[in-house]
Amino acid sequence: MKGLWLADRQLQLRRDLPIPEPIAGEARVRVLQAGICNTDLELLRGYYPYAGVLGHEFVGVVDRGPEHLIGQRVVGEINATCGQCRFCLSDNSTHCENRTVLGIVNRDGAFADYLCLPEKNLYLVPETVSTDAATFTEPLAAALEIQQQVQLHGGDRVLVIGDGKLGQLVAQTLALTGCDLLAVGRHSEKLANLEARGIRTGFADAVQDRTFDVSVECTGNPEGFAIALRALRPRSTLVLKSTYAGKLSIDASALVVDEITLVGSRCGPFPEALKLLAENKVDVSPLIQARYPLSEGLKAFAHAQRKGVLKVLLAMGDENAQQS
Amino acid sequence: MKGLWLADRQLQLRRDLPIPEPIAGEARVRVLQAGICNTDLELLRGYYPYAGVLGHEFVGVVDRGPEHLIGQRVVGEINATCGQCRFCLSDNSTHCENRTVLGIVNRDGAFADYLCLPEKNLYLVPETVSTDAATFTEPLAAALEIQQQVQLHGGDRVLVIGDGKLGQLVAQTLALTGCDLLAVGRHSEKLANLEARGIRTGFADAVQDRTFDVSVECTGNPEGFAIALRALRPRSTLVLKSTYAGKLSIDASALVVDEITLVGSRCGPFPEALKLLAENKVDVSPLIQARYPLSEGLKAFAHAQRKGVLKVLLAMGDENAQQS
């Protein structure tokens, strides 16, 4: 089968990969569509020493596995867990110490014709949810994780920094909580997507210092972190939603003096994400900027790496793919 | 009157300071004894651009102010607040945006014969609490702030890093919660103080990676922070109790991937601290390493700056002071 293979920071399109065979408890999925995420770009830059097929945002159809799943359209939780370690047993299975992670840690990913995941990781995609929308389930779940970690109260002043893929999903999900939301970024045309949904937006200079109850950093750069910190009133919360290449230099004394809480936030709940998509409460369509067939995966990556580009999709059925 | 005066990172003993006059709502306190804190040493190093009398840990006797306080032995909350700003009105008065802070921000401090504070800041010292013990009320309250911010459950694995003044008070207060506590430091003789109270101690190599539910960083140095972080299991909490000179470089991606919460922690509740002292549940006596009269205040600072020294006290009645 075909697949985008990462080794030594080099990505290549391979056509010689064996179609994977699911082991007991796993299902095999024929991938329909997959999305390129910033984490993929960071893996390419060597953020984590992964080798194998890249990709973890996908929609596919089960072609091997339990009867009730065969032929069904599914998305998949990316952390494949052991079910037996202390984290799995304490309801923290996404932090399983023996986990593999689809396309990230020791498990071939979704930028291929087929992938395997444990059956328990798979979620049926409701009929009313398009394959395009479902491709965003994983990042949407990650956006929803914030609400699992931080208790938001109606009227709380919440700031989202970053108008990229993640920032836009975070802003859309937070807007549903009834908080007093401001989303800031650097690109009018991206912020316009949010404005169109009734979300107040602005550039960094719209952020009044020391006035927000919660800020969510979705840029992954130190400038974004600085805005997130200066925006906060004392005894408030900064959510770190992006990973950072290298170390981040922070004024830890400011955290102490203002008693700020910093919350690292990663993967989130798939069922809630699918529910939002089924209810049409989140609109992912403005995020899609290009489509490529898997056979043009290297071009797709080059596109995704361009500054300011939002979501680039890979379609596994070559005949249907086209660049939009 | 006499006082230790800081200006341009230079400390001097002045004998020409006017005895302060309390304004409406304030009381004047004749200082009996005061303690040198790491924050004082950091102010001396230029951590914050303060000029005036240093010092914020004290016990004294009210000599001007409301009738019921005159002649009473008191300690004082160091944040003098406006009572009217949004933080004061939302029960976050220690973060008052107009606050002055005794010996730290725009308010002459406790290393002098007299000081003034708002009446509402003063707390009577119970008769059973010695002046030595009461001198630790402020740092003990700061140690207790952790329990106001982080919910500890019986059996939680908690790590305290640092065997200095603050670390020892933090460890003693956390031990009272019934958590499964380990305190680590670099000095056997300091750790022995905690061992004597039944607290398990060790050096850094006693810390097993990824096993603690809460870690409390009390060293103020990057090595301490690194231990605090590696000790934590995913989805756990790191409390920053120390201020840091300069910036701290952290692996923010690790915070995100492991969904760690970082909590900055500063001043705490005086009544609870006095209650613990009255109940004799905390023993501060092993922390006292030297006593100087105010007139030898510069010597006292030189002593406090020596590596590994715990609490150095200043006695304002010269005749009673002696180096122990």
Side-chain angles (χ1 to χ4, degrees):
Chain A
M1 68 170 188
K2 294 188 297 304
L4 290 177
W5 184 268
L6 177 70
D8 298 329
R9 303 192 192 186
Q10 292 294 322
L11 194 64
Q12 56 172 312
L13 176 70
R14 287 177 61 171
R15 295 173 184 276
D16 61 344
L17 297 171
I19 294 178
E21 284 300 323
I23 60 171
E26 291 192 348
R28 185 169 72 191
V29 176
R30 180 170 54 82
V31 183
L32 293 172
Q33 185 166 268
I36 299 177
C37 165
N38 276 344
T39 302
D40 299 316
L41 304 179
E42 289 187 359
L43 286 164
L44 203 55
R45 287 196 288 265
Y47 151 73
Y48 193 89
Y50 173 70
V53 175
L54 265 189
H56 57 276
E57 300 177 1
F58 75 94
V59 185
V61 172
V62 176
D63 90 324
R64 286 239 184 140
E67 196 62 38
H68 70 283
L69 286 178
I70 300 285
Q72 299 288 331
R73 204 165 47 128
V74 295
V75 291
E77 154 67 55
I78 68 176
N79 298 282
T81 62
C82 72
Q84 296 178 337
C85 72
R86 59 207 170 111
F87 300 125
C88 285
L89 295 175
S90 63
D91 208 22
N92 288 307
S93 65
T94 57
H95 292 276
C96 165
E97 57 191 352
N98 304 311
R99 71 182 181 272
T100 60
V101 186
L102 188 71
I104 300 176
V105 182
N106 291 332
R107 176 176 287 269
D108 282 328
F111 299 154
D113 292 317
Y114 294 88
L115 62 81
C116 290
L117 269 178
E119 293 164 26
K120 66 180 179 188
N121 283 44
L122 300 179
Y123 295 85
L124 297 181
V125 178
E127 269 190 35
T128 55
V129 176
S130 69
T131 294
D132 273 3
T135 309
F136 287 82
T137 308
E138 196 277 335
L140 186 59
L144 288 170
E145 176 73 354
I146 297 166
Q147 296 174 45
Q148 309 267 321
Q149 296 176 291
V150 179
Q151 191 156 17
L152 291 172
H153 306 92
D156 273 358
R157 299 197 61 182
V158 178
L159 176 69
V160 174
I161 303 110
D163 54 15
K165 299 182 282 291
L166 182 61
Q168 298 220 12
L169 292 175
V170 166
Q172 284 199 39
T173 53
L174 288 174
L176 300 172
T177 67
C179 69
D180 178 4
L181 183 66
L182 173 67
V184 298
R186 291 175 170 173
H187 312 86
S188 326
E189 74 285 4
K190 293 185 189 172
L191 294 172
N193 294 340
L194 296 173
E195 286 281 350
R197 296 189 68 79
I199 295 170
R200 195 160 54 96
T201 71
F203 297 131
D205 61 6
V207 177
Q208 205 183 337
D209 286 1
R210 299 173 76 78
T211 58
F212 287 86
D213 301 298
V214 175
S215 64
V216 185
E217 208 304 274
C218 302
T219 70
N221 66 52
E223 295 79 11
F225 183 84
I227 297 167
L229 188 55
R230 75 170 168 83
L232 289 175
R233 65 163 174 79
R235 287 195 176 152
S236 56
T237 302
L238 193 165
V239 180
L240 278 180
K241 199 65 225 178
S242 290
T243 51
Y244 293 76
K247 297 243 177 173
L248 181 67
S249 175
I250 65 171
D251 181 355
S253 295
L255 298 184
V256 173
V257 170
D258 284 339
E259 300 197 317
I260 300 297
T261 294
L262 219 74
V263 178
S265 178
R266 191 171 49 102
C267 298
F270 270 54
E272 284 81 348
L274 285 167
K275 186 163 177 287
L276 280 191
L277 291 171
E279 291 168 350
N280 220 5
K281 288 194 173 155
V282 170
D283 181 14
V284 300
S285 56
L287 297 180
I288 302 174
Q289 292 211 317
R291 299 166 191 274
Y292 290 84
L294 177 58
S295 59
E296 294 182 18
L298 298 181
K299 272 195 201 168
F301 261 79
H303 193 149
Q305 283 171 313
R306 279 187 229 152
K307 214 173 157 64
V309 166
L310 294 169
K311 187 63 75 184
V312 174
L313 297 179
L314 287 167
M316 308 311 161
D318 282 15
E319 58 285 5
N320 299 319
Q322 54 181 351
Q323 191 171 338
S324 65
Chain B
M1 68 171 188
K2 295 188 297 303
L4 290 178
W5 183 268
L6 176 69
D8 298 328
R9 303 191 191 186
Q10 292 296 321
L11 194 65
Q12 57 172 310
L13 176 70
R14 287 178 59 171
R15 295 171 185 276
D16 62 344
L17 297 171
I19 294 178
E21 283 301 323
I23 61 171
E26 291 192 348
R28 185 168 73 193
V29 175
R30 179 169 56 80
V31 183
L32 294 173
Q33 185 165 269
I36 299 176
C37 165
N38 276 345
T39 301
D40 299 316
L41 304 179
E42 289 188 358
L43 286 164
L44 203 54
R45 288 196 287 265
Y47 151 74
Y48 192 91
Y50 173 70
V53 175
L54 265 189
H56 58 275
E57 300 176 0
F58 75 94
V59 184
V61 172
V62 176
D63 90 324
R64 285 240 183 138
E67 196 62 40
H68 71 282
L69 285 178
I70 301 284
Q72 299 287 332
R73 204 165 47 129
V74 295
V75 289
E77 154 65 54
I78 69 176
N79 298 282
T81 62
C82 73
Q84 295 176 338
C85 72
R86 60 205 168 115
F87 301 125
C88 285
L89 295 176
S90 63
D91 208 23
N92 288 308
S93 66
T94 57
H95 292 276
C96 166
E97 57 190 352
N98 305 310
R99 72 183 182 272
T100 59
V101 186
L102 189 72
I104 300 176
V105 182
N106 291 332
R107 176 176 287 269
D108 281 327
F111 300 154
D113 292 318
Y114 294 88
L115 63 82
C116 290
L117 269 178
E119 294 164 25
K120 67 180 179 188
N121 284 43
L122 300 179
Y123 294 85
L124 296 181
V125 178
E127 269 189 36
T128 54
V129 176
S130 70
T131 293
D132 274 3
T135 309
F136 288 83
T137 308
E138 196 276 336
L140 187 59
L144 288 171
E145 176 72 353
I146 297 166
Q147 296 173 45
Q148 308 267 319
Q149 296 175 289
V150 179
Q151 191 158 15
L152 292 172
H153 305 93
D156 273 357
R157 299 196 62 182
V158 178
L159 175 69
V160 174
I161 304 110
D163 54 14
K165 300 182 280 291
L166 183 61
Q168 298 221 10
L169 292 175
V170 166
Q172 284 200 38
T173 53
L174 288 174
L176 299 172
T177 68
C179 68
D180 178 4
L181 183 67
L182 172 67
V184 299
R186 290 175 171 172
H187 313 86
S188 325
E189 72 285 5
K190 292 184 189 174
L191 294 172
N193 294 340
L194 296 174
E195 286 280 350
R197 296 189 69 79
I199 295 170
R200 196 160 53 97
T201 71
F203 298 131
D205 60 7
V207 177
Q208 205 184 337
D209 285 2
R210 299 173 77 78
T211 57
F212 287 86
D213 301 298
V214 176
S215 65
V216 185
E217 207 305 275
C218 302
T219 70
N221 66 52
E223 294 81 9
F225 183 85
I227 297 167
L229 188 54
R230 75 169 168 82
L232 290 175
R233 65 164 174 80
R235 288 197 176 150
S236 57
T237 302
L238 193 164
V239 180
L240 278 180
K241 199 63 225 179
S242 289
T243 51
Y244 293 75
K247 298 243 178 172
L248 182 66
S249 176
I250 65 171
D251 180 355
S253 295
L255 298 184
V256 172
V257 170
D258 284 340
E259 300 197 316
I260 299 296
T261 294
L262 219 74
V263 177
S265 177
R266 191 171 48 103
C267 298
F270 271 54
E272 284 80 350
L274 285 167
K275 186 164 177 286
L276 279 191
L277 290 171
E279 291 168 350
N280 221 4
K281 289 193 173 156
V282 170
D283 181 14
V284 300
S285 56
L287 297 180
I288 301 174
Q289 291 211 317
R291 299 167 190 272
Y292 290 85
L294 177 58
S295 60
E296 295 181 18
L298 298 182
K299 272 194 201 169
F301 261 80
H303 193 147
Q305 284 172 313
R306 279 186 229 154
K307 214 172 157 61
V309 166
L310 293 170
K311 187 62 77 184
V312 174
L313 297 178
L314 288 166
M316 308 311 162
D318 281 15
E319 59 284 6
N320 299 321
Q322 55 182 351
Q323 192 171 338
S324 66

